[in-house]
């Protein structure tokens, strides 16, 4: 056996480098939910000024959280628009002026395929308006749940995957009606000729998202007050 050739062949084989860990896509501008250690929802915010393990939270939704000076341990759940995944983080927050919070000890715990945001379970009267096709016109439906990114509705009318309509609902009696341009992403046939539809919201502006978020959390607080 030609030992020189054998060892030479081995020497030519490229050394395997350790593959870098998948980049955990946390970035300034990410919309996040903040909960306490027990999982109780505190508020929704935008993660800004990310600097290593420090950042700021600019609060969107209302909150009953007291303005304590001691850092409060929290769990932070964001959604990466780039990787379409939920990012789970932990950190400690302290209050700042103008509904802002300083975050320290921020760390990523895991990244998973998961729904983006908190969903409020409801049973509200709503309408779905199609502008073309056999189901054209305004039809009654029930809003079963809603998040800042989409909703689930129940209806006696038949829609199809990809259908688009205007969903209108009043989440609270003392607030204006919300209107979201929506697209059917999932069709579930139920007994009795009824259907449920998983929908995503389309063409929402930043202002639209903030209004929906505020209404969802105001409705959640009102719901808690009744229980």
């Amino acid at each position: 056996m030609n030992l020189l050739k054998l060892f030479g062949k081995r020497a030519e084989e490229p050394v395997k480098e350790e593959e870098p860990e998948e980049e955990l896509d946390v970035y300034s501008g990410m919309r996040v939910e903040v909960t306490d250690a027990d999982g109780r929802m505190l508020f929704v915010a935008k993660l800004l000024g990310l600097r290593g393990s420090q950042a700021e939270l600019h609060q969107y939704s209302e909150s009953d959280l007291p303005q304590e000076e001691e850092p409060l341990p929290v769990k932070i759940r964001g959604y990466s628009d780039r990787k379409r995944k939920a990012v789970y983080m932990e950190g400690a927050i302290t209050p700042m002026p103008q509904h802002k919070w300083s975050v320290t000890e921020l760390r990523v715990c895991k990244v998973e395929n998961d729904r983006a945001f908190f969903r409020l379970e409801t049973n509200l009267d709503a309408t779905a308006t199609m502008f073309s096709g056999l189901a054209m016109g305004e039809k009654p439906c029930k809003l079963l749940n809603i998040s800042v990114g989409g909703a689930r509705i129940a209806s006696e009318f038949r829609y199809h995957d990809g259908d688009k309509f205007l969903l209108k609902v009043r989440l609270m009696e003392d607030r204006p009606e919300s209107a979201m341009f929506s697209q059917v992403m999932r069709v579930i046939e139920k007994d009795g000729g009824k259907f449920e539809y998983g929908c995503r919201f389309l063409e929402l502006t930043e202002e639209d998202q903030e209004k929906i978020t505020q209404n969802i959390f105001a409705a959640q607080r009102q719901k808690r007050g009744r229980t």
Side-chain angles (χ1 to χ4, degrees):
M1 180 181 290
N2 189 330
L3 297 181
L4 181 61
K5 184 177 180 181
L6 176 63
F7 285 114
K9 184 177 180 182
R10 286 183 179 174
E12 289 172 4
E13 290 179 356
V15 178
K16 266 194 173 181
E17 296 183 2
E18 290 187 9
E19 294 183 2
E21 292 185 7
E22 182 183 3
E23 181 185 356
L24 300 179
D25 213 353
V26 181
Y27 52 88
S28 290
M30 174 181 281
R31 188 183 297 269
V32 298
E33 299 170 348
V34 183
T35 62
D36 62 16
D38 297 324
R40 184 175 69 91
M41 184 65 65
L42 301 177
F43 57 86
V44 171
K46 181 176 284 189
L47 183 72
L48 293 171
L50 184 63
R51 303 177 303 280
S53 62
Q54 299 183 11
E56 290 183 4
L57 293 173
H58 291 208
Q59 186 176 322
Y60 276 143
S61 67
E62 301 170 16
S63 173
D64 295 325
L65 192 61
Q67 300 286 298
E68 297 179 357
E69 295 300 326
E70 290 295 321
L72 175 68
V74 294
K75 296 178 180 180
I76 302 172
R77 182 173 181 260
Y79 185 70
S80 171
D81 291 320
R82 301 169 188 173
K83 295 190 176 180
R84 305 292 181 189
K85 292 185 177 181
V87 183
Y88 293 82
M89 298 165 274
E90 291 181 352
I93 62 172
T94 51
M96 299 170 60
Q98 299 178 335
H99 302 289
K100 297 178 184 178
W101 300 79
S102 172
V103 187
T104 56
E105 303 174 24
L106 182 66
R107 69 182 187 91
V108 175
C109 302
K110 59 182 178 179
V111 178
E112 291 187 349
N113 292 315
D114 203 351
R115 284 179 173 172
F117 294 106
F118 168 78
R119 286 181 176 261
L120 177 68
E121 299 298 322
T122 65
N123 186 30
L124 297 173
D125 292 329
T127 62
T129 304
M130 291 272 291
F131 297 100
S132 63
L134 296 176
M136 185 171 62
E138 185 177 86
K139 311 290 186 185
C141 63
K142 283 283 187 181
L143 180 74
L144 302 180
N145 66 38
I146 184 171
S147 76
V148 72
R152 183 162 60 97
I153 65 170
S155 174
E156 296 180 359
F157 297 93
R158 178 61 156 150
Y159 301 108
H160 299 87
D161 190 11
D163 279 354
K164 298 177 182 179
F165 56 82
L166 186 66
L167 177 64
K168 293 183 180 180
V169 64
R170 192 181 300 275
L171 292 174
M172 297 183 68
E173 293 180 0
D174 61 345
R175 296 209 174 191
E177 186 179 58
S178 297
M180 292 79 62
F181 189 46
S182 309
Q183 182 177 29
V184 175
M185 303 300 293
R186 186 182 180 195
V187 179
I188 306 166
E189 294 194 26
K190 309 295 284 188
D191 294 336
K194 295 184 179 180
F195 304 91
E196 290 185 4
Y197 301 99
C199 309
R200 68 172 178 177
F201 299 146
L202 304 173
E203 302 176 9
L204 290 180
T205 65
E206 191 75 16
E207 184 180 0
D208 292 334
Q209 292 178 353
E210 288 187 26
K211 286 180 179 178
I212 293 172
T213 300
Q214 291 167 2
N215 287 339
I216 288 174
F217 277 80
Q220 182 196 30
R221 292 173 68 195
Q222 187 180 71
K223 189 176 180 180
R224 283 177 177 170
R226 292 171 180 168
T227 58

